């Protein structure tokens, strides 16, 4: 009975935290005028979720704060990440937007034109490309929160992860797909959990599979001032090359 009650309390705290993070995402998306604010808000959301997981790993018996001080700390951290990631996140978002636009437009064109026997082949290829792009989109934001790389380097990391750790990539992608299906079945979940639930599941899936299991460190010992891994090439190849390339 005590164990069941403990699980209920954990789920309740998780739900409240995801709700708060979703509200922060909405607020800071609107702050950037939606177009300029949505991608930095996504990056900030994943950054806070990364901090949450590191906290749980450091202090497994200490729940994340949901009181006024805890909410203020999360809000301050979210705002700082939003400002720091404004440029990089928008560049990554622009690349993803162009890629999705190309896939969608090509799919519409193939479905509209009569291409004979080539039509089904192209349609199938574009469906596979869309699914792969969806998985890359799910993976790239947790990686963006963890590594201080440019847009194309992050997408390359995501592709390496899909090829080198397909089980981990599939776990994250399928988990996000299940949540989106739940949103379709129960639309009332969208304003409550929104982007926060898929982001939390993708981040958690990558950490639990060891893909992002670089040892936590202080800003003076291997991280940048905003918490990401330092951009030193030799350090990055040593810590992340093994993580992404060895299954």
């Amino acid at each position: 009975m005590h164990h069941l009650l403990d699980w209920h309390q954990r789920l309740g705290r998780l739900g409240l935290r995801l709700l708060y993070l979703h509200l922060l995402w909405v607020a800071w998306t609107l702050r950037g005028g939606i177009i300029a604010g949505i991608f930095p808000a996504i990056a900030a959301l994943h950054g806070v979720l990364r901090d949450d997981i590191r906290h749980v790993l450091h202090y497994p018996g200490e729940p994340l704060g949901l009181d006024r001080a805890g909410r203020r700390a999360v809000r301050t951290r979210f705002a700082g990440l939003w400002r720091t990631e404004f440029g990089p996140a928008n560049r990554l978002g622009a690349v993803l937007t162009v890629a999705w636009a190309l896939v969608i437009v090509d799919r519409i064109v193939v479905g509209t034109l009569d291409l004979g026997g080539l039509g089904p082949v192209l349609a199938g290829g574009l469906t596979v490309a869309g699914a792969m792009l969806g998985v890359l989109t799910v993976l790239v934001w947790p990686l963006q929160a963890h590594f201080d790389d440019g847009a194309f380097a992050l997408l390359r990391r995501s592709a390496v992860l899909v090829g080198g750790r397909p089980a981990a990539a599939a776990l994250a992608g399928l988990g996000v797909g299940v949540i989106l299906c739940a949103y379709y079945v129960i639309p009332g979940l969208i304003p409550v959990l929104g982007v926060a639930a898929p982001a939390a599941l993708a981040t958690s899936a990558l950490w639990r599979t060891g893909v992002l299991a670089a040892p936590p460190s202080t800003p003076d010992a291997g991280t940048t001032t905003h918490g990401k891994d330092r951009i030193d090439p030799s350090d990055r190849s040593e810590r992340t090359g093994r993580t992404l390339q060895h299954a």
Side-chain angles (χ1 to χ4, degrees):
M1 185 66 183
H2 177 74
H3 183 70
L4 181 62
L5 180 60
D6 181 60
W7 270 106
H8 276 112
Q9 291 176 340
R10 289 186 182 183
L11 288 175
R13 287 194 296 266
L14 176 61
L16 288 174
R17 193 166 187 87
L18 291 178
L19 171 60
Y20 187 62
L21 289 174
H22 175 60
L23 293 176
L24 287 175
W25 177 81
V26 171
W28 286 90
T29 296
L30 294 175
R31 181 183 179 122
I34 300 180
I35 295 177
I38 185 171
F39 295 120
I42 292 174
L45 172 63
H46 283 85
V48 172
L49 290 169
R50 173 182 180 267
D51 291 347
D52 287 354
I53 290 181
R54 289 166 70 95
H55 174 90
V56 171
L57 293 176
H58 267 111
Y59 313 103
E62 180 181 328
L64 294 164
L66 292 172
D67 55 1
R68 180 178 297 181
R71 294 194 301 270
R72 184 185 303 113
V74 172
R75 186 170 63 251
T76 301
R77 176 64 172 160
F78 195 101
L81 287 169
W82 188 89
R83 287 188 290 267
T84 301
E85 301 293 349
F86 189 88
N90 274 314
R91 287 191 289 271
L92 175 59
V95 173
L96 289 173
T97 300
V98 171
W100 275 109
L102 289 174
V103 170
I104 293 172
V105 170
D106 287 347
R107 187 67 179 84
I108 293 174
V109 170
V110 169
T112 302
L113 298 178
D114 183 9
L115 300 175
L118 188 60
V121 176
L122 292 176
L126 288 171
T127 299
V128 173
M132 289 296 298
L133 183 57
V135 174
L136 292 179
T137 302
V138 168
L139 297 177
V140 75
W141 290 107
L143 294 177
Q144 195 270 347
H146 197 69
F147 299 113
D148 202 354
D149 285 335
F152 291 102
L154 288 168
L155 289 171
R156 184 170 62 249
R157 285 185 184 279
S158 300
V160 170
L161 174 58
V162 172
R165 299 293 298 273
L171 177 63
L174 288 176
V176 171
V178 169
I179 292 180
L180 295 180
C181 289
Y183 285 173
Y184 179 78
V185 175
I186 311 175
L189 293 175
I190 298 175
V192 178
L193 301 177
V195 179
L201 192 147
T203 301
S204 178
L206 293 188
W207 276 91
R208 288 182 180 277
T209 53
V211 171
L212 302 180
S217 54
T218 63
D220 293 332
T223 62
T224 64
T225 54
H226 52 286
K228 293 185 180 181
D229 291 329
R230 185 178 293 166
I231 318 176
D232 179 70
S234 60
D235 179 68
R236 188 182 307 284
S237 63
E238 179 182 355
R239 281 194 290 173
T240 66
R242 290 198 300 267
T243 302
L244 295 182
Q245 293 175 10
H246 293 293

